[in-house]
Amino acid sequence: VQPGKLAGRLLKAVPAALDRPMLQPEPSVWLGGQRHRPGLLLALLALLGIAWAEVQPLQVPEQAPTPQALSRKESFLVLSLHNRLRSQVQPPAANMRRMDWSESLAQLAEARAALCGTPAQSLAPVPRTISQVGWNVQLLPMGLASFVEVVSLWFAEGQRYSHADAECAYNATCTHYTQLAWATSSLLGCGRHLCSLGQATMEAFVCAYSPGGNWEVNGKTIAPYKQGAWCSLCTARVSGCFKAWDHAGGLCEVPRNPCRVSCRNHGYLNVSTCHCHCPPGYTGKYCQVRCSVQCVHGRFREEECSCICDVGYGGARCATKVHFPFHICDLRIDGDCFAVSSEADTYYGAKMKCQAKGGVLAQIESQKVQDILAFYLGRLETTNEVTGSDFETRNFWIGLTYKPSKDTFRWTTGEHQSFTSFAFGQPDNQGFSNCVELQASAAFNWNDQRCKTRNRYICQFAQEHISRWDPGP
């Protein structure tokens, strides 16, 4: 909105208003009730050469109309305009925050507008959830300007403001502009009210800002923002940089997703811990697993939303009786049987396939087992006995995963990992890697890997399982 066009409307509106007492626009009022110089309307009228008549004190009708709330569309337009104008300040702002709409502030602004220019001391106390409030207040003849045009007039005051000197031009008003452009104000709420004052009908426009601005040091208002490249001085808490298509520069905001994690199934991401809080019925790092499993012959593990089957049973619900021998032992170590797959799958797919055969993904709990498996897998690499186009890597899954809730690695059966054989520099949690593989390039020492990677895998059948197997008919 061009202030010149609105000034033209003011010029046309003045003759019709000269026959009734004129209302002087209320100066902006900030924290502590301090009054500043008259608003932009007064300056525009003075420029037009119009003399001010003696005004009567503002009188609020005994039955004041109900405060007029802005529609959702108007709220959106006023908020969008504030952010767009804040992105256009000159010189550029290095720490200008993006504003969000606050219904609490909007209600406060509506109540302030209903006072029709009387002192704000009669307002209800500011809610404790709102820290500090700054105000922009304007009174205009009814129908003369929309809220969007009023905000544009406030911003136009910036043409008379020197950021380098942190001063407004002599005998001019800049306090509407400096509050609108106050960098650390991040919440906005606005309201308006029709005021019947004698024979005149005026419209009160009010915006409330939190935290407020226009702070003074030694009687002089400090600069509203720090000059510099856009978003170059954002604080750690608001390190994101928001720039809409119609913005000239960027605005500091809370990063949308600093963890680069997306929670599925309506899970909530805690950005301070980068963990997903899942709704009832879901689990997994990304809330991607539906927890509706009923374990027939086994116990339920909520962390992985899966069943740990009793001896002799397999399948997703531990409902399938497993008959021995169902598998082939590639290696026997201290009575336990280890079978190396010739196919590839994700970690959880491999886990379910081992369990369907009555085993578990291999648990390596001693250096002896690690050395033998590493030697055997190295021979498979050279003899090329395990091949397939489905493999993403030359690595093998074992049954070890990181549990964020416990901040430790645990075996599939829930046992704590005591022995370790991680490769140099591992685990490094590259890409939130929670599952563990035997890494071919590191002599089959351990590496944490993304669980959806397709690897070969090793199933283990313990001696106690084998001895209790029911051969069946």
Side-chain angles (χ1 to χ4, degrees):
V1 179
Q2 297 180 0
K5 293 183 179 179
L6 183 55
R9 274 188 256 167
L10 288 170
L11 183 60
K12 294 178 181 178
V14 169
L18 289 178
D19 294 332
R20 60 177 181 261
M22 288 294 295
L23 287 169
Q24 195 168 5
E26 184 194 53
S28 297
V29 181
W30 269 266
L31 294 176
Q34 297 178 355
R35 292 182 175 269
H36 297 264
R37 289 170 292 192
L40 180 60
L41 178 60
L42 178 58
L44 288 172
L45 290 175
L47 290 173
L48 293 172
I50 298 172
W52 283 90
E54 190 69 27
V55 298
Q56 297 177 349
L58 296 173
Q59 298 176 351
V60 182
E62 293 183 1
Q63 293 182 347
T66 305
Q68 183 181 0
L70 300 185
S71 67
R72 291 184 63 183
K73 180 179 179 181
E74 288 176 301
S75 301
F76 172 79
L77 290 176
V78 170
L79 173 65
S80 299
L81 179 60
H82 269 78
N83 281 325
R84 182 165 71 251
L85 294 177
R86 286 163 69 88
S87 79
Q88 295 173 356
V89 296
Q90 289 298 327
N95 65 326
M96 187 72 72
R97 284 202 57 174
R98 180 178 69 86
M99 281 187 165
D100 292 313
W101 188 262
S102 166
E103 283 300 328
S104 298
L105 285 178
Q107 294 172 12
L108 205 61
E110 291 162 17
R112 175 70 188 275
L115 297 179
C116 294
T118 57
Q121 281 78 0
S122 56
L123 277 177
V126 177
R128 291 183 178 181
T129 54
I130 300 176
S131 62
Q132 308 157 341
V133 177
W135 299 97
N136 269 349
V137 179
Q138 191 80 62
L139 282 173
L140 291 175
M142 183 186 70
L144 189 63
S146 68
F147 218 134
V148 167
E149 291 172 320
V150 171
V151 174
S152 297
L153 280 177
W154 292 344
F155 187 72
E157 292 178 1
Q159 298 171 10
R160 310 294 301 276
Y161 183 80
S162 169
H163 184 85
D165 300 327
E167 288 183 351
C168 195
Y170 176 72
N171 204 26
T173 297
C174 298
T175 49
H176 296 96
Y177 165 76
T178 49
Q179 175 58 82
L180 191 157
W182 202 264
T184 53
S185 295
S186 58
L187 292 176
L188 171 71
C190 300
R192 65 161 175 252
H193 193 78
L194 294 179
C195 303
S196 299
L197 304 165
Q199 295 182 353
T201 302
M202 304 293 286
E203 200 165 6
F205 299 89
V206 178
C207 282
Y209 303 81
S210 179
N214 282 348
W215 303 114
E216 293 184 354
V217 175
N218 297 327
K220 180 179 178 180
T221 304
I222 64 177
Y225 61 85
K226 298 186 189 314
Q227 179 181 348
W230 295 103
C231 294
S232 60
L233 292 177
C234 297
T235 62
R237 192 168 60 90
V238 287
S239 58
C241 192
F242 173 75
K243 186 175 181 180
W245 65 273
D246 57 350
H247 285 198
L251 304 175
C252 302
E253 69 167 357
V254 176
R256 296 292 182 179
N257 196 346
C259 307
R260 298 183 180 179
V261 172
S262 177
C263 302
R264 305 178 190 173
N265 299 310
H266 306 289
Y268 165 71
L269 176 64
N270 185 333
V271 295
S272 62
T273 62
C274 292
H275 290 163
C276 289
H277 297 277
C278 303
Y282 292 91
T283 190
K285 183 172 181 60
Y286 311 107
C287 304
Q288 77 279 18
V289 183
R290 186 174 181 84
C291 277
S292 58
V293 179
Q294 296 293 326
C295 305
V296 180
H297 297 284
R299 57 188 175 88
F300 180 69
R301 292 212 62 209
E302 187 174 356
E303 288 180 345
E304 296 180 358
C305 195
S306 62
C307 297
I308 298 298
C309 298
D310 296 336
V311 174
Y313 291 91
R317 299 175 60 240
C318 303
T320 305
K321 182 72 173 177
V322 179
H323 299 284
F324 184 81
F326 187 75
H327 52 272
I328 299 174
C329 288
D330 295 301
L331 287 171
R332 284 190 178 273
I333 306 175
D334 294 335
D336 289 356
C337 170
F338 293 84
V340 180
S341 74
S342 58
E343 59 183 0
D345 211 326
T346 64
Y347 173 85
Y348 290 105
K351 172 190 166 186
M352 296 305 297
K353 287 180 178 177
C354 287
Q355 189 164 285
K357 299 177 182 180
V360 295
L361 275 174
Q363 297 189 182
I364 305 175
E365 300 178 278
S366 70
Q367 190 66 57
K368 175 182 178 181
V369 176
Q370 172 66 28
D371 290 345
I372 295 174
L373 283 177
F375 175 80
Y376 180 79
L377 296 177
R379 292 289 298 272
L380 286 182
E381 288 289 309
T382 57
T383 58
N384 201 29
E385 292 184 19
V386 179
T387 60
S389 59
D390 197 22
F391 304 152
E392 291 184 14
T393 72
R394 294 158 43 228
N395 307 331
F396 294 82
W397 289 126
I398 59 175
L400 190 64
T401 56
Y402 177 73
K403 307 300 180 187
S405 60
K406 295 182 171 57
D407 193 25
T408 184
F409 284 91
R410 295 289 180 96
W411 295 109
T412 303
T413 54
E415 298 170 21
H416 181 73
Q417 164 236 341
S418 55
F419 170 78
T420 181
S421 187
F422 278 106
F424 179 76
Q426 304 298 333
D428 57 4
N429 196 28
Q430 291 287 335
F432 297 98
S433 308
N434 282 353
C435 296
V436 177
E437 64 185 4
L438 301 183
Q439 191 174 42
S441 62
F444 295 102
N445 284 306
W446 305 356
N447 171 59
D448 55 334
Q449 181 61 274
R450 297 171 66 227
C451 301
K452 65 180 182 180
T453 302
R454 296 185 65 82
N455 280 341
R456 291 166 282 183
Y457 53 92
I458 305 172
C459 298
Q460 179 181 3
F461 307 90
Q463 179 61 41
E464 61 171 311
H465 296 174
I466 298 172
S467 63
R468 293 172 56 189
W469 235 290
D470 178 10

